[in-house]
Amino acid sequence: AQSVAQPEDQVNVAEGNPLTVKCTYSVSGNPYLFWYVQYPNRGLQFLLKYITGDNLVKGSYGFEAEFNKSQTSFHLKKPSALVSDSALYFCAVRDAAFNTDKLIFGTGTRLQVFP
Amino acid sequence: NAGVTQTPKFQVLKTGQSMTLQCAQDMNHEYMSWYRQDPGMGLRLIHYSVGAGITDQGEVPNGYNVSRSTTEDFPLRLLSAAPSQTSVYFCASSYSRSAEQFFGPGTRLTVL
């Protein structure tokens, strides 16, 4: 069965510093990987995805993520954090094999960027 | 283009009552899903559909029913509400298995 782990409930970073939000996954085949962001009292917004190809994926609002197959990780990164990046971030995985269509989410990581 | 719409936005039920959460999308997406969001639990998949007439169970399907008679609509039914079903419910849709999901604004449900 597929699964996603976000090992940090909260990440604190000062504005202007680089940030990393961690995600590891488990699937039987190749993964489709996604990052979403949720601002307070809002639905989820898509940030970026990895389907195939280049391991470094660039997305919205200056975010990027690196797919590492050997470590089964897909960490979200940004070179310079903004206070407005403070939100709840979710990693999600779908097994690319056609035996399942489920998209499974992690438990989320709250990012707090301090001025 | 309204995207994914959900009604109602808020609902309070008594234990044992039934209700249907509505979800509609106007993007002609084949894939639709229902999630519940609880503090510390992230989003958990309840049911999903890969096209009209095709539905399947997710991680936490007990107590919920779904049907998909049209591409546009994917209602979620609570047959006998329980306090454990107090949560925020999100509907989502996507064009394909590798495409990103579009989420609705959510329904906040309280079961007393």
Side-chain angles (χ1 to χ4, degrees):
Chain A
Q2 65 213 75
S3 64
V4 177
Q6 294 182 243
E8 303 155 316
D9 289 336
Q10 181 155 329
V11 170
N12 299 317
V13 64
E15 188 173 32
N17 283 0
L19 70 87
T20 298
V21 182
K22 295 179 180 178
C23 171
T24 59
Y25 67 90
S26 174
V27 294
S28 58
N30 291 320
Y32 293 148
L33 293 157
F34 303 84
W35 275 102
Y36 291 84
V37 60
Q38 185 180 35
Y39 297 101
N41 300 313
R42 301 283 297 277
L44 275 74
Q45 298 176 30
F46 168 75
L47 278 179
L48 51 79
K49 66 180 179 181
Y50 171 83
I51 303 302
T52 187
D54 194 347
N55 290 344
L56 184 63
V57 178
K58 295 188 183 298
S60 305
Y61 313 121
F63 284 94
E64 58 188 30
E66 186 165 12
F67 171 63
N68 187 318
K69 188 170 184 176
S70 63
Q71 297 186 4
T72 61
S73 67
F74 190 55
H75 301 331
L76 182 69
K77 300 181 180 183
K78 188 173 182 181
S80 179
L82 300 172
V83 173
S84 57
D85 292 330
S86 299
L88 189 56
Y89 290 80
F90 290 97
C91 182
V93 67
R94 175 179 275 143
D95 196 323
F98 276 86
N99 58 350
T100 177
D101 290 296
K102 297 178 183 178
L103 181 65
I104 302 299
F105 282 78
T107 52
T109 298
R110 187 165 301 281
L111 175 66
Q112 195 75 37
V113 181
F114 295 95
Chain B
N1 190 329
V4 180
T5 58
Q6 291 183 238
T7 56
K9 285 187 169 52
F10 301 94
Q11 183 70 48
V12 179
L13 292 177
K14 295 181 180 178
T15 296
Q17 287 185 317
S18 63
M19 79 158 297
T20 299
L21 279 63
Q22 300 292 344
C23 174
Q25 52 89 11
D26 61 359
M27 297 173 282
N28 201 33
H29 285 172
E30 292 294 331
Y31 289 75
M32 296 187 75
S33 303
W34 276 103
Y35 296 89
R36 59 178 289 174
Q37 183 177 20
D38 303 290
M41 305 289 286
L43 273 78
R44 291 182 290 170
L45 181 64
I46 304 171
H47 286 285
Y48 64 102
S49 169
V50 299
I54 306 171
T55 64
D56 204 348
Q57 296 182 349
E59 302 169 280
V60 288
N62 292 341
Y64 307 94
N65 281 349
V66 292
S67 60
R68 184 100 179 266
S69 56
T70 67
T71 299
E72 294 78 20
D73 300 298
F74 191 42
L76 179 72
R77 297 183 188 85
L78 284 71
L79 297 180
S80 179
S84 61
Q85 294 177 305
T86 294
S87 187
V88 180
Y89 291 84
F90 289 102
C91 180
S93 73
S94 64
Y95 176 73
S96 70
R97 302 180 76 250
S98 62
E100 61 271 24
Q101 290 196 338
F102 290 81
F103 282 81
T107 294
R108 187 174 295 273
L109 175 67
T110 301
V111 183
L112 303 175

